[in-house]
Amino acid sequence: MADTRVQYRRRKSYNTRSNRIRKVKTPGSRIVVQYQRKRANARKCPITGQQLTGIPLLRPYQYKFLKRRERTVSRAYGGNLSGLAVRDKIIRAFLIEEVKIVKRVMAQKTKQ
């Protein structure tokens, strides 16, 4: 059986999450190390916990290199809250204003 032992190419010599490797056989029949990147988690809405649609799954540092239109969604709170959460926020604000108007009208009626 062929020898599949390899050496790390970087200074870190421990099998940590940031030091994951993959063994790859080259056309010259050598087995070399390729370093794996960490998997990206989806951005989530802090209110509903849903994955934010329209935003790519990247590591946090990689968002820095995207254009603004690729990082966000063209909507109020786009890229931070899900559409459902924004809709609820708008409806809640509208209902609060309605309650204020009703209270004002009732206060005027009791004065008269």
Side-chain angles (χ1 to χ4, degrees), residues 19-66:
N19 208 25
R20 291 279 155 85
I21 60 167
R22 196 170 120 216
K23 296 172 188 173
V24 176
K25 195 168 190 178
T26 63
S29 295
R30 287 175 52 229
I31 295 175
V32 295
V33 166
Q34 282 186 351
Y35 283 91
Q36 300 294 101
R37 289 197 178 100
K38 286 186 183 179
R39 296 219 21 175
N41 288 325
R43 302 269 304 268
K44 290 188 177 69
C45 173
I47 297 172
T48 60
Q50 290 178 325
Q51 180 178 336
L52 296 179
T53 54
I55 297 173
L57 276 74
L58 298 172
R59 296 294 298 168
Y61 183 70
Q62 295 298 320
Y63 286 109
K64 177 180 178 180
F65 302 110
L66 292 181

Side-chain angles (χ1 to χ4, degrees), residues 99-112:
V99 168
K100 285 180 185 175
I101 292 168
V102 168
K103 281 183 181 176
R104 205 175 302 138
V105 168
M106 294 302 283
Q108 285 177 352
K109 280 187 179 178
T110 55
K111 273 187 178 178
Q112 292 174 354

Side-chain angles (χ1 to χ4, degrees), residues 58-83:
L58 298 172
R59 296 294 298 168
Y61 183 70
Q62 295 298 320
Y63 286 109
K64 177 180 178 180
F65 302 110
L66 292 181
K67 296 175 183 144
R68 182 180 161 82
R69 67 180 176 76
E70 295 169 338
R71 275 189 304 234
T72 64
V73 180
S74 54
R75 173 179 68 229
Y77 298 99
N80 294 320
L81 297 180
S82 65

